Amino acid sequence: VLTSHPGRYRFLEIYYRRAETTHKGRLVPARVETVVLFLPDVWSCVPVRLEWDGLHHNYKKQLERRLKAEQDIAAGVTTEEKAQTSSSKKNKHT
């Protein structure tokens, strides 16, 4: 039951009447049924600005790494070649 569930707002309540019916040989009396729709509190799901900035930065770095890897693959540069290139650059500077 979500009646007092925090973070959800009771948005809509619909009442409708069911007529008397027979179900599996048993008489089901006429009744009123209720459907309640709740909406979530979306503001409690949204990160604060500082958290958002950190998430944005991390996703941006991850995207840049993936794009760089795809560009290297498209250019035919292997991981081994990149390691050799970076080690030769380090040796030139020392």
Side-chain angles (χ1 to χ4, degrees), residues 20-77:
E20 183 178 277
T21 59
T22 304
H23 179 72
K24 295 186 179 181
R26 300 180 97 183
L27 182 66
V28 179
R31 64 206 177 277
V32 175
E33 291 189 1
T34 306
V35 173
V36 180
L37 297 177
F38 290 88
L39 293 179
D41 175 15
V42 295
W43 292 110
S44 65
C45 302
V46 176
V48 295
R49 181 63 189 204
L50 189 60
E51 291 171 328
W52 174 251
D53 289 342
L55 286 168
H56 179 262
H57 178 72
N58 288 337
Y59 280 125
K60 187 175 179 180
K61 282 183 1 186
Q62 186 177 15
L63 176 61
E64 288 169 354
R65 280 195 305 266
R66 287 186 178 196
L67 289 173
K68 176 76 172 119
E70 286 180 14
Q71 289 170 352
D72 289 346
I73 290 170
V77 178

Side-chain angles (χ1 to χ4, degrees), residues 6-23:
R8 302 212 186 275
Y9 296 103
R10 190 181 205 111
F11 178 70
L12 180 66
E13 195 166 320
I14 302 170
Y15 297 93
Y16 58 99
R17 297 174 196 254
R18 291 271 187 180
E20 183 178 277
T21 59
T22 304
H23 179 72

Side-chain angles (χ1 to χ4, degrees), residues 74-93:
V77 178
T78 64
T79 309
E80 201 173 284
E81 290 171 340
K82 284 196 304 185
Q84 288 174 353
T85 305
S86 64
S87 65
S88 65
K89 285 181 183 178
K90 288 179 185 175
N91 291 339
K92 287 181 183 179
H93 294 288

